[in-house]
Amino acid sequence: MKRYYIFYNKDNKKYEVRKANIIGETEETYVILEGEERINKKKSGVFDDKEYANIVKKELITTKTVKNKFKGKYYVCPICGKRVRRNKITVDHKIPKKFFQQLAKDKYGIDDLRLAEDLWKQCWNFSNLRLICEDCNQKKGSNPYMLERYIAKKSYMQKKNECINRGARKMNIRNNNFVSRDLEMEILRRYGNTFDKKYII
């Protein structure tokens, strides 16, 4: 069976999908012969399908592109305001991958987001990505209210003038240009049509 993996070519600074010439394996890794070198690659990073490997390659390219937008040595995290070194910067999905994975399961009956092309594109769209520090990314991943708070903030900013004029305490998320129709309907189904201002960050 042919297997494929992602190789970073240092000469042209590009990710490439290559056929894996497997010459050995352990419980967790494959030993791959790349030219005259031996590379240890985790089994989760070796794929049976070339098209699937290309999807993973796109994720790596997108992550690298977002990180390369920052050229300095230090970065100020937009969430906590902490000054961190470049190597402590991580790429964050504003609307978490877990939410899109749940959508893929509910809509298509599949556990793998990469197989749901429309949802995968929304998840990895540049508008859904940002740079934050490592600590904030970990905290965000463990916060069950982060999604509601994020959508509430987006809704609030778009409806701000309307809310001020009406003196409203809550805001409606319908006709929100930020979210796709599928995502909007899922939010409506799970959380209702309004978000309280206490969720806003």
Side-chain angles (χ1 to χ4, degrees):
M1 179 188 292
K2 291 182 180 178
R3 290 193 175 96
Y4 303 89
Y5 75 107
I6 316 298
F7 178 78
Y8 182 69
N9 192 328
K10 293 181 180 178
D11 294 331
N12 57 19
K13 296 182 179 179
K14 289 184 178 180
Y15 289 102
E16 300 172 357
V17 174
R18 294 191 176 183
K19 185 179 175 182
N21 184 11
I22 299 172
I23 58 174
E25 66 178 285
T26 65
E27 189 176 335
E28 297 181 352
T29 64
Y30 286 117
V31 181
I32 297 172
L33 187 63
E34 178 59 52
E36 296 180 355
E37 291 185 48
R38 295 187 176 195
I39 299 173
N40 291 319
K41 197 79 175 176
K42 287 184 178 180
K43 288 187 176 180
S44 59
V46 179
F47 314 100
D48 295 334
D49 182 33
K50 189 174 182 179
E51 289 303 313
Y52 192 92
N54 274 308
I55 294 172
V56 179
K57 184 183 82 168
K58 287 179 184 177
E59 292 178 2
L60 293 172
I61 292 172
T62 301
T63 300
K64 190 173 180 64
T65 302
V66 174
K67 280 191 172 183
N68 284 346
K69 287 182 179 180
F70 176 70
K71 302 294 183 182
K73 186 176 180 181
Y74 293 96
Y75 180 71
V76 177
C77 176
I79 294 180
C80 66
K82 187 168 64 177
R83 189 167 173 257
V84 294
R85 288 184 177 273
R86 184 183 177 88
N87 62 350
K88 294 293 183 180
I89 300 172
T90 61
V91 175
D92 168 55
H93 292 77
K94 297 175 183 177
I95 300 178
K97 283 190 287 186
K98 284 184 179 180
F99 186 78
F100 286 100
Q101 288 167 350
Q102 186 59 48
L103 270 181
K105 191 170 184 178
D106 294 345
K107 186 177 180 182
Y108 300 114
I110 55 179
D111 293 321
D112 193 340
L113 175 61
R114 289 168 177 160
L115 301 179
E117 185 178 359
D118 57 335
L119 298 175
W120 180 87
K121 284 182 177 179
Q122 286 184 59
C123 180
W124 284 92
N125 190 289
F126 283 112
S127 65
N128 192 44
L129 302 175
R130 63 178 172 179
L131 295 175
I132 64 176
C133 74
E134 204 170 53
D135 292 340
C136 284
N137 207 341
Q138 290 175 357
K139 289 176 184 176
K140 177 177 178 288
S142 61
N143 188 338
Y145 300 108
M146 188 56 69
L147 177 65
E148 293 98 310
R149 293 171 70 193
Y150 177 74
I151 297 297
K153 182 179 179 182
K154 282 292 181 182
S155 301
Y156 176 72
M157 295 305 292
Q158 292 187 7
K159 302 285 185 176
K160 183 176 179 180
N161 291 333
E162 176 187 340
C163 289
I164 290 173
N165 292 337
R166 292 191 295 114
R169 181 171 175 271
K170 296 184 179 182
M171 61 230 74
N172 193 305
I173 72 162
R174 288 191 183 278
N175 303 317
N176 186 327
N177 293 327
F178 172 73
V179 295
S180 71
R181 183 61 179 166
D182 284 338
L183 189 54
E184 178 183 324
M185 293 307 294
E186 176 64 12
I187 293 166
L188 291 173
R189 183 181 72 80
R190 290 177 61 179
Y191 306 112
N193 191 41
T194 56
F195 285 102
D196 202 301
K197 284 186 181 180
K198 68 183 179 182
Y199 289 120
I200 297 168
I201 54 175

